[in-house]
Amino acid sequence: TMQSSGHRFRDVEHHPLLDSDAFDSSASEADMAQRVWFIRDACGMVCAILTWLLVVYADFVVTFVMLLPSKDFWYSLINGVVFNCLAVLALSSHLRTMLTDPGAVPKGNATKEYMDNLQLKPGEVIYKCPKCCSIKPERAHHCSICKRCIRKMDHHCPWVNNCVGEKNQRFFVLFTMYIALISAHALVLCGFQFFSCVRGQWTECSDFSPPVTVILMIFLCLEGFLFLTFTAVMFGTQIHSICNDETEIERLKSEKPTWERRLRWEGMKSVFGGQPSLLWINPFAGFRLRQLLLRGKKGGPEFAV
């Protein structure tokens, strides 16, 4: 705790200006727009690269081991287009989850000048994070890996090398959904391929030798089963948390809600943005390529913590 200018800092009461919807100032938003969010965490970067390699491996086996050698042109074309489109959507969702600011609270804003700008009443109680020296808005938690307080932090996921929070939860939900879909698709294709190979006695089953084909498909089946189980459970958990307007940290800590919970449908619209539409499942929605290119030309600093 810290006492300054007659104001107490504790996790008891939150000033209206510190609420998650009103916390961002125009100056901080303008500053964030000039930076790219990326976490320099060795474990997270390895996991993120491994995720991409596993998706590329699955795409290789599906395309070159199972579909291209097939004599059924339409079977290969339709499944190839569907699988590759899902893979692109999954990797795009992964990138946007990893490179989107999850809702970080500015570091070191617990200063006398900032407190004076808040115009707090004498004795009003707010909370200061002793680790990053910031004034925490309601429902914010400190992440030891990001070294920041994150608004509505759900958890830190090494597979996306980032926290899942207020601003990137939608992309994380899409990532888990698309990975689950391509995993299920790969398992179905493996089942058809095994049946076809056994029926044809492994002759002209693949451009690879039977032992190599079997090994590649077994690894794909193991990968597909593990990722399908993990991402399907995570997807369901995320949807449940959104509908209950409760983060995973709040659930694990059994925190009593001091905020007014949104209705289930309102929670979904808040995370995915507006009324239901195809934009909900589009990871490219809101992406500004021109602004990203301008940042690179201006030499904007990398926002890494």
Side-chain angles (χ1 to χ4, degrees):
T1 59
M2 164 180 147
Q3 294 192 13
S4 174
S5 303
H7 306 302
R8 293 177 295 163
F9 292 77
R10 288 197 326 213
D11 192 11
V12 178
E13 183 178 347
H14 296 270
H15 191 271
L17 290 178
L18 298 178
D19 292 340
S20 60
D21 293 335
F23 188 75
D24 286 331
S25 64
S26 58
S28 63
E29 287 292 340
D31 183 59
M32 293 292 184
Q34 299 299 322
R35 301 181 177 184
V36 176
W37 178 270
F38 182 74
I39 303 299
R40 290 178 180 173
D41 175 59
C43 177
M45 289 188 285
V46 169
C47 289
I49 293 173
L50 182 60
T51 300
W52 276 66
L53 291 178
L54 289 172
V55 173
V56 171
Y57 169 78
D59 189 66
F60 169 79
V61 176
V62 167
T63 303
F64 294 97
V65 178
M66 293 190 284
L67 297 182
L68 288 182
S70 175
K71 296 180 179 179
D72 190 333
F73 172 78
W74 289 110
Y75 172 83
S76 300
L77 179 64
I78 294 174
N79 282 287
V81 169
V82 170
F83 189 89
N84 281 277
C85 285
L86 290 175
V88 169
L89 290 170
L91 294 179
S92 300
S93 301
H94 182 273
L95 269 181
R96 295 213 66 182
T97 307
M98 181 170 60
L99 301 179
T100 299
D101 172 11
V105 178
K107 278 184 178 181
N109 65 351
T111 62
K112 184 178 182 302
E113 293 76 15
Y114 188 82
M115 292 297 303
D116 292 338
N117 291 334
L118 290 179
Q119 297 179 350
L120 298 175
K121 299 176 181 179
E124 190 169 357
V125 180
I126 57 176
Y127 182 69
K128 171 192 172 184
C129 176
K131 297 178 181 178
C132 59
C133 196
S134 64
I135 299 176
K136 293 171 67 174
E138 190 174 24
R139 305 185 69 183
H141 293 85
H142 185 86
C143 175
S144 59
I145 299 176
C146 294
K147 298 180 176 63
R148 301 289 289 272
C149 285
I150 308 295
R151 284 172 291 175
K152 290 185 66 176
M153 175 181 169
D154 188 85
H155 68 288
H156 185 95
C157 179
W159 294 105
V160 297
N161 189 33
N162 201 2
C163 274
V164 177
E166 184 178 67
K167 294 184 178 180
N168 68 345
Q169 187 176 25
R170 168 175 169 261
F171 302 123
F172 181 74
V173 172
L174 293 182
F175 168 66
T176 58
M177 182 183 74
Y178 286 124
I179 289 293
L181 289 176
I182 64 172
S183 298
H185 193 188
L187 289 174
V188 171
L189 291 176
C190 280
F192 279 113
Q193 187 71 10
F194 271 120
F195 177 77
S196 175
C197 290
V198 170
R199 186 178 59 180
Q201 298 181 352
W202 298 92
T203 59
E204 299 181 0
C205 173
S206 173
D207 293 337
F208 296 85
S209 63
V212 173
T213 301
V214 171
I215 293 174
L216 291 174
M217 292 176 62
I218 287 177
F219 274 111
L220 180 59
C221 286
L222 291 174
E223 176 192 343
F225 177 76
L226 291 175
F227 270 78
L228 174 61
T229 303
F230 174 76
T231 54
V233 170
M234 184 59 70
F235 175 79
T237 301
Q238 288 293 301
I239 296 298
H240 181 267
S241 297
I242 293 171
C243 290
N244 288 340
D245 194 15
E246 180 182 49
T247 66
E248 187 66 17
I249 290 180
E250 292 164 349
R251 187 186 67 81
L252 292 175
K253 291 185 175 181
S254 299
E255 294 184 4
K256 295 181 179 179
T258 57
W259 61 94
E260 184 178 353
R261 284 187 171 178
R262 294 186 175 96
L263 298 176
R264 293 186 176 183
W265 197 240
E266 292 300 319
M268 292 290 289
K269 290 193 293 185
S270 173
V271 171
F272 289 92
Q275 296 296 328
S277 69
L278 290 177
L279 294 177
W280 277 27
I281 59 174
N282 179 12
F284 301 102
F287 181 69
R288 299 290 189 274
L289 180 60
R290 179 179 297 180
Q291 291 183 5
L292 187 63
L293 293 176
L294 288 175
R295 289 179 205 168
K297 292 180 180 179
K298 292 179 180 178
E302 182 181 18
F303 194 22
V305 287

